[in-house]
Amino acid sequence: DAEQYAYQFIHTDNPSQLTGNMTFDVIIGNPPYQLSFGIEGANSSNAKSIYNLFVEQAMRLEPRYLCMITPSRWTTKTSQGIPVDWVDKMLNCNQIRIMHDFIDSKMCFPGVGIEGGVSYFLWEKAYNGKCQYHLHMNNDVSHLRIDYLNSMNSGILIRDPKAVEIVEKISIVEGEYYSNIANNFSGLV
């Protein structure tokens, strides 16, 4: 009961019911990443990811711009509790204009360890194109790639620029090999 009261926003099919006639040009957020359940004081393995629900509801409000910071795990389908179809929708929507991905979450949140890092993105309702993807390896090293998030049809965001080069070289020889594997694998995740 307390969870439903605290997160009323994610428990409605129509989030505009909570906002009335308001319209939003911009929504910016750092949603709660997970909901703990089970044993009091248990570790994070007794938690369910919920940030995707906040992102989804914010999109239903149809803002012109949406900016959220979330764990980066969703981009590689390694986040438990995040539906695969939600990840596919996000990676293939081509409405994410800019994404900054931090391998080490402490670069954004000193003293807080979030496995897989964190990322923030700018989603634009009227945009349909390539993403300016910035990978921050540490405070001194970052990489910029301008491409679709799912450019190789792998079903995940290939974060490391060296891995992108390797997959591109393999794709020249093997063709659609990786996209066929990803399509077969995505149903298993």
Side-chain angles (χ1 to χ4, degrees):
D1 289 340
E3 184 269 335
Q4 189 167 355
Y5 175 76
Y7 298 118
Q8 192 175 17
F9 182 67
I10 63 174
H11 289 286
T12 180
D13 292 331
N14 184 359
S16 62
Q17 289 175 336
L18 301 173
T19 59
N21 292 331
M22 293 173 57
T23 59
F24 297 89
D25 288 328
V26 179
I27 297 175
I28 300 172
N30 179 4
Y33 296 161
Q34 60 190 22
L35 175 67
S36 296
F37 61 89
I39 303 167
E40 187 75 25
N43 63 26
S44 62
S45 65
N46 290 326
K48 177 185 176 196
S49 297
I50 59 172
Y51 57 90
N52 61 303
L53 301 174
F54 283 86
V55 172
E56 189 173 321
Q57 289 294 65
M59 288 177 170
R60 285 184 180 159
L61 290 171
E62 299 183 359
R64 288 178 55 200
Y65 302 100
L66 171 65
C67 183
M68 293 265 185
I69 186 166
T70 67
S72 296
R73 292 185 300 264
W74 70 267
T75 64
T76 58
K77 294 185 179 175
T78 57
S79 186
Q80 294 181 356
I82 303 285
V84 171
D85 59 338
W86 183 85
V87 175
D88 290 339
K89 177 181 152 190
M90 290 293 291
L91 290 177
N92 293 312
C93 75
N94 299 331
Q95 291 174 281
I96 297 176
R97 182 183 285 269
I98 301 169
M99 178 181 273
H100 285 266
D101 190 356
F102 299 84
I103 296 292
D104 184 355
S105 64
K106 290 180 174 86
M107 292 174 68
C108 292
F109 301 114
V112 178
I114 299 170
E115 293 295 322
V118 296
S119 59
Y120 65 85
F121 61 86
L122 173 64
W123 174 93
E124 290 186 32
K125 182 179 179 180
Y127 182 72
N128 186 0
K130 294 181 178 181
C131 177
Q132 292 178 26
Y133 175 74
H134 301 262
L135 178 67
H136 301 273
M137 304 292 277
N138 60 45
N139 288 328
D140 299 324
V141 179
S142 65
H143 301 275
L144 169 64
R145 184 170 82 234
I146 299 174
D147 205 348
Y148 297 102
L149 292 179
N150 190 18
S151 65
M152 297 183 184
N153 295 318
S154 62
I156 62 170
L157 170 60
I158 300 175
R159 298 167 80 186
D160 189 306
K162 291 178 186 172
V164 170
E165 290 176 21
I166 292 168
V167 172
E168 285 174 342
K169 289 176 182 178
I170 292 171
S171 294
I172 290 170
V173 175
E174 297 293 336
E176 295 293 317
Y177 176 76
Y178 281 107
S179 64
N180 291 336
I181 287 176
N183 289 333
N184 292 331
F185 180 70
S186 67
L188 301 174
V189 177

